[in-house]
Amino acid sequence: MPFYVYAQDQPGVADQLMELCEEHWSYMDRFDDRLILRGPTVSDDGEEHTGSVHVVDLADRAEAERFARDEPFWKAGLYRDLLVVAAEVLLSRAPAADGPVHPGHRAVAPAGRRRGRHRSRCR
């Protein structure tokens, strides 16, 4: 069953997010075959990381809660709020290849190409 997982950053944690970025990516890689959508939430200008959103297909709420609470940023106290709700995916499509892309937004890419701009913020 798909679950929507949203975590909002604590204020002023950008440096700590960077320090744990590889650990975060390694953790997410374990769910690669079950992630439907994932990425950072960003400020309106696309420059500031404000949180993370994931839609992940898991067996039940307990597994979804575990997914969220075992995530390295949450375990380190970098998120202030966490929301986990069951969801239905009624529409799923990538942006048009020739359409405009807002800074900070990107289409989901196949494994091996999925880290794009978000990953570059981890360096």
Side-chain angles (χ1 to χ4, degrees), residues 8-69:
Q8 185 180 22
D9 291 352
Q10 294 276 8
V13 297
D15 289 341
Q16 291 114 317
L17 289 169
M18 294 292 279
E19 289 171 15
L20 289 175
C21 203
E22 286 303 321
E23 189 176 339
H24 166 79
W25 276 103
S26 292
Y27 180 77
M28 288 300 147
D29 285 346
R30 293 172 30 200
F31 297 91
D32 190 51
D33 62 335
R34 292 172 277 172
L35 284 162
I36 297 168
L37 175 145
R38 70 165 297 221
T41 57
V42 296
S43 58
D44 288 343
D45 63 6
E47 295 302 315
E48 185 179 342
H49 189 283
T50 60
S52 293
V53 64
H54 301 87
V55 177
V56 59
D57 190 18
L58 297 167
D60 54 32
R61 174 169 296 284
E63 192 174 346
E65 291 283 344
R66 232 178 352 269
F67 165 82
R69 296 194 187 285

Side-chain angles (χ1 to χ4, degrees), residues 43-123:
S43 58
D44 288 343
D45 63 6
E47 295 302 315
E48 185 179 342
H49 189 283
T50 60
S52 293
V53 64
H54 301 87
V55 177
V56 59
D57 190 18
L58 297 167
D60 54 32
R61 174 169 296 284
E63 192 174 346
E65 291 283 344
R66 232 178 352 269
F67 165 82
R69 296 194 187 285
D70 287 347
E71 194 281 327
F73 294 161
W74 175 261
K75 287 174 73 173
L78 304 183
Y79 291 143
R80 70 168 124 183
D81 291 317
L82 183 62
L83 174 68
V84 177
V85 294
E88 288 185 31
V89 178
L90 299 178
L91 175 66
S92 177
R93 69 175 144 207
D98 60 347
V101 176
H102 181 278
H105 294 140
R106 63 182 176 78
V108 175
R113 298 180 8 146
R114 63 190 180 287
R115 295 184 181 188
R117 180 183 169 126
H118 182 60
R119 173 133 177 137
S120 69
R121 293 181 181 185
C122 295
R123 296 180 187 200

